[in-house]
Amino acid sequence: MRITLISFLLLLLNSTCFGQQDTVEINVTDYNIHPDSRDNIEPKIRKLLDENRNRRNLKLVFPRGRYDFWPNEGREDPSEPSFGFDIHDASGVCIDGQGSEFVFHGKMMPFNVQNAADITLRNFSIDWDRPFISQAEIVQCGDDFLDLKIDENVYPYEIENDTLYFKGEDWRSKIGTDYNNIFNAGNKDLVYETTDNPLGEIWNATAELRENGLVRLHFPLERKPERGTLIALYHDYYITDGIQLMRSSRLWLEQINIYHALSVGVGASECEDITLKQVNIIANEKKNRVFSTVADATHFNGCKGRIVIDSCTVTGAGDDFVNIHGMYAPVVKVLGDHEVLLKKHNRYIGFKPGEKVWRVDAATMQRWEILSVAEHADSLKNDTLVGYRVRFTEDISGIFKSGDVLENIDKNPDVEITNCLVMKGSRARGILVSSPGKVRISNNRFHTAGAAILIEGDRGGKEYYESGAVRDVAIENNEFDNCFTSEWGQAVISITPDTSWKDAASPAYHHNIRIIGNTFKHFDYALLYARSVDTLVFSSNKMIPTNTYPRSSNKKLKRNVYLDRCQHVTIGDNICDPIGGVAFPGKNVWVEHMEDADLKQYGPCPLKVSPPEDSSDD
């Protein structure tokens, strides 16, 4: 096999911790850190890192085994999470676990990487003995009760004043209200047509301990699950990430299993050049779990350079596999001929002097003027932060109007996601990506509960402000295996920007999306749902019917391809021959707010073009 020069260089750099030929290697046993001792090594790791804070090209090697971490009791704010590894203001640090288990206790962030460069994390797993999610088996239910079998040794609990409380290490909690998921007993997939809290308001249940050791919860059930169904009960949401990467560059993560994290598994903000190679966010099967992270498996906000995600597996995550996006900053007020006041929100990543920004028109969500940032500062009023003040090099007189937003041009990455396995044991969707950079999604297998791929864009309607109208996306040679069995999305591939239009001639939000050479093994109709795309290709895809799940009764989903306000759409050379005498349902494309010239078809298996009011099945 021909090895390209780039691949060879990447291999060489990785094998030497980013090419550090003068690496200083420390075996952690030199600091009296030994595997399988069950001692708290957090103080020793903190001491080791502090003593070598200014050393470049530091490699820490852990003899294979188990290492335990408890929170730092001396931290300034005991309510805040404690760090297992605090790697900040550093260069050339390599943590090599050699296959070790890093086990955490209580409210902890295993890795905090900030203001660092050339960081390698490899060859270890992350887990909690007592996770912040509890699991139970449903053994019986009625219209208004649910009997749970809970392993009290693994998920300690108590009933007080008819309320079920779960106990952890320095915490005690009721059942959370945001989402709690149910899973099939056999394959541990999310149950078909699962929604958030599919059983109803389980957190409002009264509880009693039965004579047979079961816990009975009394509440009106919205759905009766089968006996043996497993349920994951969340106690908190978005506590702290497993591996946090902030304002850092050239980050390499490989051969890591994240079995649990208190929010996102790997979260990155304002970073440059990140590679995840065989980073698996998975339920710990040895412990019979159905859950892994509390929130997304991975999340990237305001990053640049390249994000490479290769040969990763996800299951059991509390939210999406990958979410990559930038940030919209709403303009609250024009302060002068060079200055604006921006709204404060929790996704804000800021603007640095010298960075370029787009003004994005509020009505059309189109990018217009390119401006240069001269200054960025907090805006204070009576000692209260009310927003952010941004000063531009250019005169902005008459440019802005109410509702316009800013988008950072320099904080948008190229993305490559390949050879990954995304399983139905995770809540929500597979890949969410919004970036104007070059995006390649190829050779992955999706078996997701929601949409396998979502390309969105939120101007603030959902208060996420996730930016990144795409300009170059290729989705090629992937397998979509019975995806979209639950409510998260509109189809297997969903393109649903949060936009509005003045008329049918309004410019599109997304551009240049190619869906080519994929295999869709699907039990239902909805393969592609696309709104506001200019230049969309759906070609050379194979559509194979299955009977793995019943078809949805929702008439709105009885379309293979749904197009709304799209331009320059090409559909052709798709293969939808009957398999075993069973024809793929529909063979149709639905159009809305489009001209006839906007859609061109060619080759075999043409799709019947219907308006949305046509409710025929085939």
Side-chain angles (χ1 to χ4, degrees), residues 316-483:
D319 213 335
D320 310 306
F321 167 39
V322 177
N323 191 352
I324 300 171
H325 60 85
M327 172 217 66
Y328 286 134
V331 176
V332 176
K333 185 178 181 180
V334 177
L335 300 176
D337 55 11
H338 286 76
E339 207 166 71
V340 295
L341 178 67
L342 303 179
K343 177 181 178 180
K344 179 185 179 183
H345 63 79
N346 61 6
R347 296 293 179 93
Y348 188 81
I349 56 175
F351 302 91
K352 295 179 180 178
E355 289 183 335
K356 302 290 186 180
V357 302
W358 281 298
R359 178 186 73 86
V360 180
D361 181 84
T364 64
M365 294 308 292
Q366 297 299 301
R367 297 164 174 141
W368 289 102
E369 295 85 2
I370 295 177
L371 304 171
S372 303
V373 177
E375 182 184 358
H376 179 278
D378 295 343
S379 179
L380 300 174
K381 181 178 181 181
N382 298 326
D383 296 327
T384 301
L385 179 64
V386 296
Y388 302 96
R389 180 173 53 83
V390 174
R391 184 172 181 82
F392 302 105
T393 302
E394 299 84 2
D395 189 328
I396 60 169
S397 301
I399 291 179
F400 285 94
K401 62 180 181 297
S402 177
D404 284 354
V405 298
L406 296 181
E407 181 180 2
N408 196 315
I409 296 175
D410 294 326
K411 292 178 179 175
N412 283 297
D414 292 336
V415 177
E416 180 180 335
I417 303 175
T418 60
N419 306 311
C420 293
L421 179 61
V422 190
M423 300 302 289
K424 203 180 293 292
S426 295
R427 173 183 173 270
R429 298 145 307 198
I431 295 171
L432 281 64
V433 60
S434 298
S435 174
K438 181 179 178 180
V439 177
R440 299 293 179 263
I441 301 172
S442 62
N443 300 306
N444 304 286
R445 179 172 178 257
F446 297 91
H447 183 60
T448 54
I453 297 173
L454 172 62
I455 301 173
E456 202 168 28
D458 172 40
R459 60 178 176 169
K462 301 175 184 177
E463 293 294 321
Y464 294 152
Y465 300 103
E466 294 182 358
S467 73
V470 303
R471 298 190 295 195
D472 182 4
V473 176
I475 301 170
E476 298 177 325
N477 303 319
N478 302 283
E479 179 181 306
F480 300 95
D481 179 12
N482 288 296
C483 299

Side-chain angles (χ1 to χ4, degrees), residues 80-85 104 106-114 126 128 237-246 258 260-269 293-301:
E80 289 296 313
S82 183
F83 302 138
F85 294 83
F104 296 86
K107 190 181 289 187
M108 295 196 71
M109 176 187 290
F111 285 85
N112 173 50
V113 179
Q114 290 199 41
I126 293 173
W128 268 251
Y237 306 87
Y238 304 99
I239 305 167
T240 191
D241 292 347
I243 299 176
Q244 175 178 267
L245 311 172
M246 296 187 67
I258 300 177
H260 187 55
L262 309 189
S263 180
V264 173
V266 178
S269 179
T293 57
V294 170
D296 297 322
T298 64
H299 198 122
F300 305 83
N301 179 18

Side-chain angles (χ1 to χ4, degrees), residues 117-296:
D118 299 321
I119 306 300
T120 301
L121 308 178
R122 60 151 66 107
N123 297 338
F124 56 80
S125 66
I126 293 173
D127 203 356
W128 268 251
D129 274 345
R130 178 48 171 121
F132 280 62
I133 302 171
S134 295
Q135 184 173 311
E137 179 186 345
I138 297 170
V139 298
Q140 186 176 339
C141 67
D143 292 335
D144 57 3
F145 76 90
L146 183 73
D147 286 348
L148 298 179
K149 180 181 179 181
I150 306 171
D151 188 336
E152 191 172 5
N153 293 320
V154 180
Y155 308 105
Y157 66 90
E158 61 187 7
I159 296 174
E160 182 180 308
N161 297 326
D162 298 329
T163 300
L164 176 63
Y165 292 91
F166 286 91
K167 298 184 293 182
E169 296 170 301
D170 296 327
W171 60 268
R172 181 174 181 262
S173 177
K174 298 179 182 179
I175 298 171
T177 60
D178 283 10
Y179 45 83
N180 298 281
N181 304 132
I182 56 175
F183 302 78
N184 296 321
N187 58 21
K188 295 184 172 60
D189 284 349
L190 281 172
V191 172
Y192 176 68
E193 291 191 333
T194 289
T195 59
D196 286 339
N197 295 307
L199 303 183
E201 297 182 357
I202 191 171
W203 56 87
N204 284 329
T206 57
E208 63 170 315
L209 185 64
R210 308 287 287 177
E211 292 181 356
N212 54 7
L214 301 179
V215 173
R216 173 163 289 185
L217 299 180
H218 296 274
F219 69 104
L221 268 69
E222 296 180 4
R223 174 179 186 153
K224 292 182 181 178
E226 294 183 2
R227 184 181 182 130
T229 297
L230 301 171
I231 184 168
L233 301 169
Y234 289 70
H235 304 306
D236 207 343
Y237 306 87
Y238 304 99
I239 305 167
T240 191
D241 292 347
I243 299 176
Q244 175 178 267
L245 311 172
M246 296 187 67
R247 296 181 295 278
S248 299
S249 60
R250 298 183 299 279
L251 308 166
W252 187 288
L253 283 62
E254 67 170 329
Q255 294 183 325
I256 299 172
N257 288 338
I258 300 177
Y259 294 117
H260 187 55
L262 309 189
S263 180
V264 173
V266 178
S269 179
E270 301 180 74
C271 292
E272 181 175 5
D273 294 333
I274 307 170
T275 296
L276 275 62
K277 175 78 171 179
Q278 295 180 321
V279 176
N280 305 310
I281 297 91
I282 50 178
N284 194 330
E285 294 183 356
K286 292 182 179 179
K287 298 181 179 181
N288 197 36
R289 291 180 187 164
V290 294
F291 61 84
S292 57
T293 57
V294 170
D296 297 322

